[in-house]
Structure formats: structure tokens, C-alpha cells
Amino acid sequence: MALLARGELRSILQTEMPNALDTRWDTQATDQPEAHGEGQTILLDFDAVVKAEALVEVAHFIRDKFGYTLLSNITAVDYLKQGLIEVVYQFYNAAEGGPDLRVRVRIGRSPEECIVPSLTPTWPGADLQEREAYDMYGVVFPGHPNLARIYMWDEFKGFPMRKDFPKTGDKYTHVTGE
Amino acid sequence: MTLSHLATEDVFVVERNDADFRAGQGMTKGLGIVFRKFRKALFGKPNSDRADTEGQFNVQYPEERLVLPEAYRNMPILLYDDATGHELCTSCFQCERICPPQVIHITQAKDPATGKPVPAAANFVLEYDTCMSCGYCAEVCPFDAIKMDHDFELSTGNHPELDVNYDRLLRPISYYEAIAPTMWSDVKEQAMKKLQNNIKRRPGAIGRDHGQKVKGGAAVAVAATPVAGAAPAAAAKPRGPVAAIGKNMPEEKVAKLISIRAANAAKRGGGDAGAAPVAEAAPIVETVVDTPAASAAPSGPVAAIGQNMSEDKRAKLEAIRAAKRAQRGE
Amino acid sequence: MLKTEELQINIGPQHPSTHGVFRMLVTVDGETLVDLKPVFGYLHRNHEQLGEVNTYLQNMPFTDRLDYFNSMVNNHAYARAVETLAGVEVPERAQYIRVIMDELSRILNHATAMGFMLGDMGAWQTALLWGMREREKILDMFEYVSGARMMCNYCRFGGVVRDIDDWFITELKKLMQGLPHYFDDFEGLLLNSEILLARARNIGVLPKELALAYSVTGPVLRGSGVAYDIRKAEPYAVYDRFKFKVPVGTVGDVYDRFLVRIAEMRESYKILEQAIEQLPDATGGFINPKVKQQSLKAPAGEAYARVESPKGELGFYLVSDGSGSAYRYKVRAPSFINLSSLADMCKGYSIADVVVILGSIDIVMGEVDR
């Protein structure tokens, strides 16, 4: 049970669970995030980026080995230019306090790729947050007991927080925006 | 669970008193406290201090009012100079840009001779219904032209009236000085200096013909209020209880209200600055009365009189105002 | 034996004890609750997308509307997130002012939260109005410094919008003279009341392990016996300079959460006392003058900042692409995530306990639905 510094998990995973890391981001790992200039989307590669199928395994690994028991926050971010959706999981060590440990999963934006296994069976607190990520970004969580829309009504089509969702107009009432 | 980030003395377990014998002692104790408070509320003094925990806490709202702090912000208003009638706004669009719900719409004034922009606003529309009273417009304004009003009694049955036009937004500086004296004295010097500079660049009546530009056919499409008569009435709405008398109230109700207020004012010794004297309350029913502050400026009240008023009504209003000025010994 | 049948009923969305427009789809067997499904979205306004369209400063007043009881805390959390993102330093005096406002918010929130919970139990109005009364005194002071009672919009990046003056300090001291009497009266009225004990003890039990798995935070987590307080676990602002204790419960029922809230008000009082004493003089300024508030541009990157809001962990996750508004703006709303434990807490108890358990979580729908 110990606190991990930022970026430390990455090197630990490299030795302990080499198959879990998403190798696409190995070469771009840096200590300092690079600013890509104005208007550019950014992808930080500082934390451990794991493969979607290894997420549950990694989450259990950091919980059992390092005591990160509190899954506090699940955020989906849409990187339209890179064609990626990133899901960020933030874990806290409830016994030791300290800053969070971030585990990232990067998946494609198409419905076939936008799938991450659910953490709800182990962390029931992830239930509503995963539903929110599904509702707003269309990330599908297999293993979730009740993956339904949470904020939008059930008949709603599309995922309103995605960057390519039209910001004006309403396709239901056929009122077009500017 | 080990809690290594917390020292043991930093944590304590709340006491549940699980084992205590109970036969209603807790209830009796609680009722005792309630009874004590109840007695104090009935026979005690009204609270005068923030440290008071017992006694009367209520404020009988329309008759009694709490003093609003200077920083209080409700809806934005625009200021004009009492002496010259010049508006402080130069249409720099800072407020329009910062406004989070985007409810400010400004049109810049143009010199009719040259067509060049002049540091004055031709029109200024503010959607009071969507404004979130964040106060950013007043914060960013470099000319101290837009300020936050203290008048919160804005409810109306007429929704389009809440798209407030330039003429209804304008208040004299003396009005703002009355509601926020220190906040104005902090910025007074620089604001007046900037205004003097801007006056030099304003040809003709631009910048002090507030409210008349709209009618004069400036190139603005205005979300005007459908009830033209109601607009100036709202602009010149006096602060204080008098404002609560509705235009559409039946005669006897108004009379009753006025008599109640007279009694209240007498009780208070007439020392309430916010409340208008009873003699002045009657003309309210006639739709228009100037603010106490506005009467100091010759240009103020006149502007508030609506453009579409009939001649006799206008004359009547003027007479009322003259009487009031005489009453105050001006 | 009579044959019984399960029945589905709706509690809410328009119901006085659902604390806003919140609907619970409840399956009952007789009086006993079998299943509960929370239904959200009645107050959804896509707050997060607004945060991605607005500039950083423009979004500040929108955070007031999340948890409208504690807009000061929301402002603080959001300002901290942007400050982390843009690397802005905050003067010490501003940190102290923020702490004072946070702790005042905590007192007013807990006072009203318990009042509402007791209202749900049937102690209609008395306890609530006692809470409201203390709240009113504090809101008057918020109005003095910020200009508004509830939608304060008080923090700016690198400080606060207006300094507190002598009037505020004197009034705060006066307020604090009265507060201990208020705490004593509130405890005396309720703590041993047989009716409260019958309605609250061993109702809605959330064991420690389950509480952690459910990611609940704030008084709900501490009521379950986990001493996790962000002010201690990851101190922000100047919280590491104050001496205060973290109250924890043992059973994790409604009564424990109630007790933890009362104890937290007393701890907040201690923090306030120390903060007033340590408050630095005005020479350091109350806002960082170098920050361009209106045209603030954060370098590309991401930041997460959290504060211990009275309801739990309030966090803002920001991703910046280097422009003037956030690329991704996510609110980790405490009462939203605390709600995920509601179904588990309610199962097996009577339907009349549901509203009490919901009241003990202390939710605000503005924050839940965003």
C-alpha cells in the first residue's frame, strides 16, 4: 500500500503487466506535456494508457496492490481530430490520501470501437458515471447492469457532448439554427 | 483501516448514546427549548444584532425593508451625467463581449454628417428576462457607465417589456450615488474625466438625446415594448413601497393601501428615505413619477415622460413635478 | 398467509421530499421496498457543454447554479481548477477569504440539510426554519461581500472579486458569538429526541466497504466510518494551517450522517476562529493583479482540482487546447455520485424511510442533473 507518483504507474505496468499497456502511445511518452499551439487538441501521454480489455484487470491491480480503493471520477473526452475518445478514470487512496491516480483508455469513435468494459460490478459507484459517459459520448460499457440514457430522454438519437454534434438547431422539431 | 494520512487525534467518532435509557426525556428537553424560543419570539425584542439567536427575526417585507448593501447587484442600468445630460456609455462593446448569457445588444452612434462612429451608443437593449445578474458588465466597463441596480421589484405580466430599451435603462448619476455612495466616489474622478473627453468627440445632440434616438429613426431595429406608455413608467419607477401599487388596481384598493402606508410612515416618523411621502403616492396611479434623485436634474424627468403621451397628461405630470419641487424648496 | 404482490410506484418528479425534480421508480412489496431506480434528467441543461462554449471567466457564474446552496464553494473549486491549469498564484489573503466563505457555506448547508431531512421525517418546518434562520444571517454577509445572496460569483482567477472589510469581520465575530448557542439548541432539540431516534437509527445503513465501492464522499462517507476528508487528505488553499478534527460515524445509518453533520458544523466553527485570527492584512492584496481575467488563456494541458464541498468531493476536470475556453469541462458533482448508493441503502426498509434516507444524502438537483 503506497502512494504512486504521477507517471509511476506506467513504469510499474511495463514490468508487471506489459500486455495491459496500449502500445500506440509508448513512443510519445513525455514527462512534460507539450503544448501544440492554439486551437489544437492535446493528448497527454504522461499517465498509464491501458488497453480497453485490460482495464478491469489494471483497476483491480492498483486497488489490491496500492490501495486505490476510491474510484472517484470517470470522464470521457472527445478528441475529434485524432478520432479518439479517451476515458479517464481517477482513483484515490482512501487510506493514505494524496493526489489521484489516472488510468486512461483510448478508443475509436465509431460504434464498433467505442467499447470499454464496465467497472460497475466492482465499483457500483461507477454506475451513474458510466451511464453519463454513454449518454453524452456514446461509450458502451459491456457488463453494466442498466446501460440506459441518464439525462436525455430514451428516444434521443446521437450523443450531444461529442464535438461533431450540431450545436444549433433541433432535428426533432426541424428548427434550424444559424 | 489504517489511516496514515490522518493523525489519530485528528479523527473522532461521533457519540451515539445508544445505551441510554429513554422514556421521553429527549422529547421533553427538546420541547423545553422550543417553548423557550417561542416565548422569546412572542414577548422578546426584535433581533437587532447578528449575535442574537432568540427573539423576533422576521422583517415585515413590503412595509419594512432590509438595507441593501452597496455591492448588491440585481439588473444592469446605464448612467448619465446630471448636469450635462451626457451618457457615460461610449459603446465600446466590452460588456456585450463578456456577458455570459449574451443579453446585451449595443448599436454604436454615427455622426450624421460624416458617417463616422461616435463614442456614444445609438441604442442599447438589455434582455432583463435572461440576464443572470452576474455583474460582469459593471465590472469590465472602463467608463463606469453600466452599473448594477438595487431595484428588485421588476415582476411584470408583460413579458416583452423585459427587453429593456436604452431610454428605460438610463439613470442619472445622482441615483447611483444615492444607492452606492462609496462605490461611486471610488471611481467618480476617472469616470468624469473620461466623460469630458468623450463629450468633445460627440457632435450635436448625440450622447444626450437618450430615448429619442429610437423614435428619430436611427438605423436600429429595436425590440420595442408594445405598450409604449408602460415603458417610461417602469424607467422612472421610484424605489420603495410605493412601487408596489399596481397600475391596474381598483381605486378603493389603492386608497386603502395608501392609507395603510400613511399610517406606517407616521409610525416610523417619516424617516424612511426609500418611501415616498403619501402626498406623492397618489399620482403613481397616473403611471409616471420621477425618482427622487432624478428631479435634481432638469433633463432627467423630462426624458422619462413617454413620447406617446397625450398633451394633457404631459401637462398634468409637469404640474405635479413642479409642485413637488416647490415642496422640496428648490 | 395472504398472497402479496409487488407494486411499482413513482415517487416524484414533482414531490416535496425529492428535493427538486427527481424521480424514484420504486418497487414495493407491501410497505417494504424491493427495488429503487433513480431517474434523472429533469433539470438537465448541458452545463458541461456550456462550459466548453464559454470562456473561462464567463463560466464562473454558471458554476453558482450547480449546487445553489454553496455557490462560494463551487466558485472556489472552479477557480482552483483554472488556476491549476493556467499556473496562477493566489495571494494568501485571498486563500483565507476563500476558506472563510467555504466554512460559512458548510455551516449554512448543514443547517439547512438537516432541517430538510427533518422536514422529510415529519418535523415539518420547526427544524428547517431554525436552519434557515442561521443561513439567512450568513447569506446577508455573502450579499455584502459579493452582491448576491446565493449566486455569489465571488471568486476570480487568482483571488476574489472584492476584499472583506472591517464591517464583515465585526459582523462575522458577532455571528460567531451566536453560533455555539445555535448548535447547542439544535442538538438539544433533536439529538435525543425519541422520534428522531426511531426514524433515524439503523435506517439506511451503508457499511464502510460498500461506501467506498459506491464512491460516496463527504458526510455520507464519513458517517459510514471512513475518515476521508479532502481538507486533510490533500490539503488545498490554506487548510493545512488549521487544527480541526474529522468526525466519523460507526454504523453508517441516517443517525450517523446526522451526527457527523452537526459535528462538522462545530469543526467549521473552529476553522473560522483560526482563519479570522490568522487572516493576513490587506498589503498582500486579495487578487493576483497579473492575471488577465477576461482574456485568460490556459496552456494546453489538463487539470483536476477538487475541494471538500459540504456535500462531498466537488471536482472540476478541465482539458485545455490553448484557447480561451475549455476543450473539456467536467464536473464531478458530489450529490450525483452519492445518489448511486441510494438504491442499496433503501432496500429492505419501509417506503416511509426512503425520503428520510434521501434527505440524509443531502442532494441538490442543480448539481445532479447539471
Side-chain angles (χ1 to χ4, degrees):
Chain A
M1 301 279 171
L3 280 182
L4 297 180
R6 284 205 73 183
E8 204 180 319
L9 178 66
R10 196 190 173 87
S11 46
I12 290 173
L13 285 181
Q14 261 160 0
T15 52
E16 302 253 334
M17 303 166 73
N19 292 330
L21 281 173
D22 199 341
T23 43
R24 284 180 291 169
W25 314 101
D26 272 0
T27 49
Q28 295 170 37
T30 48
D31 278 358
Q32 287 295 320
E34 269 179 53
H36 297 280
E38 197 170 319
Q40 294 289 311
T41 56
I42 54 106
L43 278 174
L44 273 177
D45 312 302
F46 189 44
D47 296 308
V49 184
V50 302
K51 286 178 190 158
E53 54 271 23
L55 172 72
V56 181
E57 206 186 333
V58 170
H60 282 101
F61 172 74
I62 60 172
R63 181 190 69 171
D64 299 336
K65 190 139 192 196
F66 303 105
Y68 283 85
T69 43
L70 187 66
L71 170 60
S72 169
N73 192 10
I74 300 174
T75 312
V77 192
D78 181 12
Y79 291 105
L80 185 61
K81 275 188 188 165
Q82 288 85 348
L84 289 170
I85 283 189
E86 184 182 69
V87 188
V88 187
Y89 295 81
Q90 282 166 285
F91 292 87
Y92 284 103
N93 192 327
E96 315 237 350
D100 58 338
L101 185 67
R102 285 174 210 173
V103 175
R104 292 154 195 280
V105 176
R106 283 174 189 162
I107 45 178
R109 298 175 84 253
S110 66
E112 302 84 52
E113 295 173 296
C114 206
I115 296 166
V116 182
S118 172
L119 289 184
T120 310
T122 328
W123 280 275
D127 176 356
L128 299 181
Q129 301 202 62
E130 284 180 354
R131 277 178 70 185
E132 191 190 350
Y134 166 70
D135 191 1
M136 295 291 149
Y137 285 91
V139 186
V140 177
F141 295 92
H144 190 286
N146 174 29
L147 195 68
R149 286 199 177 270
I150 184 163
Y151 291 140
M152 310 308 283
W153 54 103
D154 288 343
E155 300 79 23
F156 189 84
K157 300 268 187 321
F159 305 107
M161 285 287 282
R162 284 197 176 193
K163 291 283 173 187
D164 52 358
F165 191 84
K167 285 210 173 46
T168 49
D170 188 336
K171 60 183 173 181
Y172 293 94
T173 54
H174 304 285
V175 178
T176 48
E178 291 162 279
Chain B
M1 184 180 288
T2 52
L3 295 158
S4 43
H5 74 281
L6 276 170
T8 339
E9 68 266 18
D10 281 346
V11 183
F12 72 95
V13 177
V14 287
E15 213 177 310
R16 283 173 65 91
N17 320 321
D18 269 334
D20 282 2
F21 169 72
R22 281 168 216 291
Q25 305 100 317
M27 284 275 288
T28 323
K29 194 185 169 199
L31 283 173
I33 295 172
V34 171
F35 183 70
R36 197 187 74 218
K37 295 240 173 192
F38 181 61
R39 206 176 37 144
K40 285 273 173 60
L42 273 186
F43 306 113
K45 282 180 294 183
N47 279 191
S48 55
D49 194 301
R50 214 172 287 272
D52 290 346
T53 52
E54 285 168 345
Q56 292 166 22
F57 181 68
N58 303 23
V59 175
Q60 301 297 331
Y61 158 59
E63 279 81 25
E64 293 175 50
R65 276 149 195 275
L66 294 170
V67 181
L68 291 172
E70 279 188 33
Y72 179 77
R73 52 187 154 85
N74 194 41
M75 292 289 163
I77 48 167
L78 291 166
L79 298 185
Y80 68 85
D81 186 20
D82 294 71
T84 57
H86 268 287
E87 296 139 15
L88 271 69
C89 177
T90 62
S91 71
C92 66
F93 299 100
Q94 291 270 8
C95 50
E96 189 177 319
R97 232 171 275 142
I98 192 74
C99 182
Q102 301 282 303
V103 298
I104 302 178
H105 311 281
I106 311 175
T107 318
Q108 197 165 31
K110 289 212 166 74
D111 190 339
T114 58
K116 278 184 185 158
V118 175
N123 198 15
F124 200 109
V125 181
L126 228 154
E127 300 166 41
Y128 269 15
D129 51 349
T130 322
C131 172
M132 62 200 284
S133 303
C134 65
Y136 278 158
C137 47
E139 230 167 84
V140 299
C141 183
F143 300 96
D144 294 295
I146 190 163
K147 293 288 176 193
M148 302 307 278
D149 197 1
H150 286 196
D151 188 6
F152 51 83
E153 288 158 327
L154 299 163
S155 66
T156 170
N158 182 9
H159 194 175
E161 194 185 291
L162 290 171
D163 285 348
V164 183
N165 236 326
Y166 202 7
D167 50 345
R168 289 171 56 209
L169 283 171
L170 281 165
R171 302 281 190 285
I173 284 175
S174 51
Y175 169 79
Y176 183 67
E177 209 171 2
I179 62 173
T182 51
M183 280 170 74
W184 176 248
S185 68
D186 286 349
V187 295
K188 185 179 179 181
E189 206 172 307
Q190 51 155 347
M192 295 317 280
K193 208 170 148 193
K194 282 177 183 168
L195 177 67
Q196 293 311 319
N197 284 334
N198 286 320
I199 288 176
K200 286 175 203 153
R201 292 160 58 200
R202 288 174 177 170
I206 289 179
R208 54 194 161 90
D209 53 353
H210 25 267
Q212 300 180 29
K213 284 173 291 232
V214 185
K215 199 185 163 221
V220 210
V222 189
T225 58
V227 189
K237 200 155 74 169
R239 296 171 36 67
V242 184
I245 299 186
K247 291 189 284 288
N248 306 329
M249 276 188 190
E251 284 294 320
E252 69 273 14
K253 200 170 178 187
V254 171
K256 205 171 152 195
L257 261 173
I258 287 168
S259 70
I260 289 170
R261 273 165 198 179
N264 281 332
K267 227 189 289 173
R268 282 195 299 265
D272 193 344
V278 191
E280 288 177 35
I284 308 284
V285 192
E286 295 288 337
T287 66
V288 176
V289 141
D290 58 339
T291 63
S295 60
S299 61
V302 184
I305 297 180
Q307 303 304 312
N308 307 334
M309 267 182 201
S310 58
E311 278 304 310
D312 52 350
K313 207 170 183 183
R314 195 185 295 263
K316 205 169 157 194
L317 262 174
E318 283 297 339
I320 290 166
R321 277 173 191 173
K324 259 190 274 166
R325 274 185 221 117
Q327 204 181 343
R328 290 200 204 96
E330 282 171 25
Chain C
M1 278 297 279
L2 280 170
K3 188 173 163 275
T4 56
E5 204 171 88
E6 286 187 357
L7 179 72
Q8 270 205 341
I9 47 172
N10 268 311
I11 304 182
Q14 305 287 344
H15 191 280
S17 59
T18 53
H19 299 248
V21 275
F22 174 54
R23 182 173 135 215
M24 289 175 278
L25 191 57
V26 174
T27 314
V28 283
D29 185 357
E31 282 271 308
T32 316
L33 193 128
V34 180
D35 193 20
L36 184 147
K37 279 200 175 71
V39 183
F40 306 89
Y42 296 97
L43 209 60
H44 180 60
R45 54 204 183 276
N46 224 345
H47 174 85
E48 292 182 357
Q49 192 153 61
L50 281 175
E52 291 167 16
V53 176
N54 286 331
T55 64
Y56 289 110
L57 184 63
Q58 275 178 342
N59 196 44
M60 185 72 84
F62 286 94
T63 62
D64 290 340
R65 275 96 178 147
L66 282 171
D67 174 1
Y68 39 78
F69 274 90
N70 310 302
S71 61
M72 288 283 191
V73 185
N74 300 344
N75 289 170
H76 186 181
Y78 177 65
R80 254 175 55 73
V82 177
E83 281 154 10
T84 320
L85 193 63
V88 173
E89 276 185 28
V90 186
E92 208 167 75
R93 187 174 168 89
Q95 303 269 31
Y96 273 94
I97 295 173
R98 286 175 177 185
V99 166
I100 289 173
M101 299 304 167
D102 281 12
E103 295 310 316
L104 283 174
S105 295
R106 200 178 315 278
I107 291 174
L108 77 83
N109 177 75
H110 285 351
T112 42
M114 288 188 300
F116 278 120
M117 189 182 91
L118 286 151
D120 294 343
M121 283 182 188
W124 184 235
Q125 291 297 344
T126 303
L128 174 60
L129 284 179
W130 283 21
M132 281 288 177
R133 182 184 158 135
E134 295 314 298
R135 172 170 176 265
E136 205 58 37
K137 291 181 185 171
I138 297 171
L139 288 186
D140 274 355
M141 295 167 69
F142 283 178
E143 190 182 38
Y144 179 80
V145 289
S146 72
R149 285 151 39 89
M150 289 173 81
M151 303 298 146
C152 294
N153 191 15
Y154 186 55
C155 289
R156 294 290 179 272
F157 311 127
V160 293
V161 68
R162 201 173 287 114
D163 202 359
I164 58 176
D165 57 8
D166 295 340
W167 183 92
F168 185 87
I169 300 284
T170 359
E171 290 294 304
L172 183 58
K173 281 178 181 158
K174 274 190 205 162
L175 174 83
M176 287 175 60
Q177 274 171 26
L179 276 180
H181 300 290
Y182 165 71
F183 298 148
D184 291 345
D185 282 352
F186 205 80
E187 280 190 354
L189 173 68
L190 300 164
L191 213 55
N192 292 310
S193 163
E194 281 74 11
I195 297 174
L196 178 99
L197 291 173
R199 291 300 304 274
R201 241 197 298 185
N202 300 321
I203 299 292
V205 178
L206 187 68
K208 196 190 264 186
E209 290 72 30
L210 210 54
L212 273 175
Y214 267 116
S215 315
V216 296
T217 42
V220 185
L221 181 65
R222 289 191 284 276
S224 296
V226 183
Y228 189 75
D229 187 319
I230 299 164
R231 293 174 293 173
K232 290 273 187 195
E234 198 187 356
Y236 56 95
V238 283
Y239 273 112
D240 46 353
R241 301 184 197 175
F242 304 124
K243 277 205 175 86
F244 63 99
K245 290 181 178 178
V246 179
V248 292
T250 40
V251 181
D253 55 1
V254 172
Y255 191 50
D256 262 342
R257 294 194 270 278
F258 177 79
L259 293 173
V260 163
R261 289 208 172 93
I262 291 190
E264 270 186 26
M265 290 207 290
R266 290 190 187 272
E267 296 305 315
S268 290
Y269 181 82
K270 283 186 206 161
I271 297 176
L272 279 174
E273 270 181 338
Q274 297 169 49
I276 296 174
E277 203 173 292
Q278 296 176 18
L279 183 71
D281 56 10
T283 45
F286 57 94
I287 190 159
N288 187 342
K290 285 179 214 150
V291 185
K292 291 180 201 147
Q293 301 285 348
Q294 297 163 48
S295 55
L296 183 89
K297 278 187 185 173
E302 61 163 25
Y304 180 74
R306 54 175 188 158
V307 302
E308 179 74 30
S309 134
K311 297 193 164 53
E313 174 187 339
L314 173 67
F316 285 88
Y317 183 90
L318 292 172
V319 178
S320 163
D321 58 354
S323 67
S325 52
Y327 183 76
R328 173 77 169 107
Y329 164 80
K330 149 106 188 180
V331 188
R332 193 260 185 225
S335 40
F336 172 59
I337 293 161
N338 288 358
L339 261 184
S340 57
S341 64
L342 178 70
D344 217 321
M345 275 199 249
C346 289
K347 269 176 208 166
Y349 296 100
S350 127
I351 191 157
D353 293 330
V354 171
V355 285
V356 179
I357 296 168
L358 181 69
S360 78
I361 300 179
D362 182 16
I363 59 162
V364 158
M365 289 317 282
E367 187 176 67
V368 173
D369 280 348
R370 300 198 292 292

